[in-house]
Amino acid sequence: MLRALVCDIDGTITDRQRRVNTAAIEEIRSLVEKDIAVVLASGNTACFMDAACRLVGTNGAFIGENGGVYRREYGSELCIERERRAAEEAYRRVEAHFRERGIALELYSDRYRFTDIAFARTVSSDEVKGVLGEVPIKVVDTGFAIHLQAPGLNKGEALKKLSVEMGLSPKDFVAVGDSINDLEMIEQAGLGIAVANGHPKTKAAAFFVTEKSYGEGFVEAMERCRDLFLR
């Protein structure tokens, strides 16, 4: 039996315009009411994740910055996996390259990030990778932003550590996601599910792929595995 849920936000419990699917929120709240642990996981900042947990109605457990930070519950210490000095140096190199071409990069919530750098998808992630060459920095295109972060940081590794703090195992979790940054999380979970709009690699790693997309796909996923949760 499964004891917990970890789910992505953008593209998984939202629509294409990042509007939250209210039926998806109802599904999450029904799990919380049954004392099923729920972890929200995203590339977003810790302060965004705190607000999202409160709005959705969870107990505050989250994974942020694509696994760079995580927290067990409201009031518990924020765990920061790595400093972001290497990501900052990589960004300066990328920013200089595009500035020479007359292209200004738009940073996302930079002053609130602990482990990564995120900027708008106004340039190609492949070109960013080309600029960095052999620099040991991971370039992650989530479909909503491009992230620069240290190798080894991902939602799956964060789930392994967070689950221990929660008295659980990653195999106790159902994981639902869509993007390439959800791949390791889906691989680590006891049951990994991708919504239909997911990245091909993420869908290939999932136990099953929903027929519906975005938030409707998440609702479908919950309906299909509802009886697997420990009661």
Side-chain angles (χ1 to χ4, degrees):
M1 301 296 284
L2 297 162
R3 303 171 62 190
L5 166 72
V6 57
C7 70
D8 174 53
I9 297 178
D10 291 323
T12 301
I13 61 172
T14 70
D15 63 14
R16 190 186 300 270
Q17 286 75 43
R18 300 181 71 183
R19 297 174 299 192
V20 174
N21 182 296
T22 55
I25 301 306
E26 290 175 1
E27 289 286 343
I28 291 173
R29 289 178 179 174
S30 70
L31 293 177
V32 173
E33 290 169 358
K34 296 171 184 174
D35 293 324
I36 302 296
V38 175
V39 177
L40 299 182
S42 173
N44 273 297
T45 63
C47 57
F48 177 97
M49 297 305 294
D50 180 76
C53 289
R54 294 180 188 279
L55 291 170
V56 170
T58 72
N59 75 337
F62 69 73
I63 296 168
E65 296 187 27
N66 295 318
V69 299
Y70 62 88
R71 183 181 72 185
R72 185 182 70 250
E73 61 188 0
Y74 295 123
S76 65
E77 181 179 358
L78 179 68
C79 296
I80 302 172
E81 286 294 277
R82 202 83 53 86
E83 64 178 22
R84 68 172 199 166
R85 186 176 304 164
E88 290 171 342
E89 293 175 357
Y91 177 75
R92 284 193 287 270
R93 181 169 176 171
V94 170
E95 191 274 336
H97 168 83
F98 286 107
R99 180 164 25 89
E100 288 179 359
R101 295 179 50 198
I103 300 172
L105 301 182
E106 179 188 357
L107 283 169
Y108 284 161
S109 306
D110 186 55
R111 61 186 292 188
Y112 301 108
R113 290 186 173 275
F114 296 98
T115 66
D116 75 348
I117 301 285
F119 52 94
R121 299 174 71 247
T122 52
V123 297
S124 163
S125 59
D126 287 336
E127 186 171 358
V128 173
K129 292 176 183 177
V131 171
L132 292 175
E134 298 301 315
V135 175
I137 285 291
K138 186 168 63 172
V139 180
V140 182
D141 185 345
T142 66
F144 296 94
I146 296 174
H147 296 255
L148 305 180
Q149 62 183 159
L153 295 182
N154 59 67
K155 293 181 183 180
E157 287 301 308
L159 178 62
K160 286 165 63 175
K161 295 176 181 179
L162 176 58
S163 63
V164 171
E165 290 197 13
M166 298 174 70
L168 299 169
S169 158
K171 299 307 178 186
D172 290 322
F173 282 80
V174 174
V176 190
D178 72 304
S179 184
I180 190 66
N181 65 330
D182 297 317
L183 174 62
E184 294 89 352
M185 178 179 81
I186 281 174
E187 290 176 332
Q188 287 290 338
L191 176 62
I193 305 170
V195 288
N197 55 289
H199 188 282
K201 290 184 178 179
T202 303
K203 292 196 287 187
F207 182 77
F208 72 81
V209 179
T210 63
E211 295 182 4
K212 297 179 181 179
S213 298
Y214 297 97
E216 292 182 352
F218 175 82
V219 173
E220 177 191 335
M222 292 297 96
E223 290 173 347
R224 290 179 63 176
C225 67
R226 185 171 290 142
D227 290 339
L228 298 178
F229 283 106
L230 185 67
R231 296 181 184 277

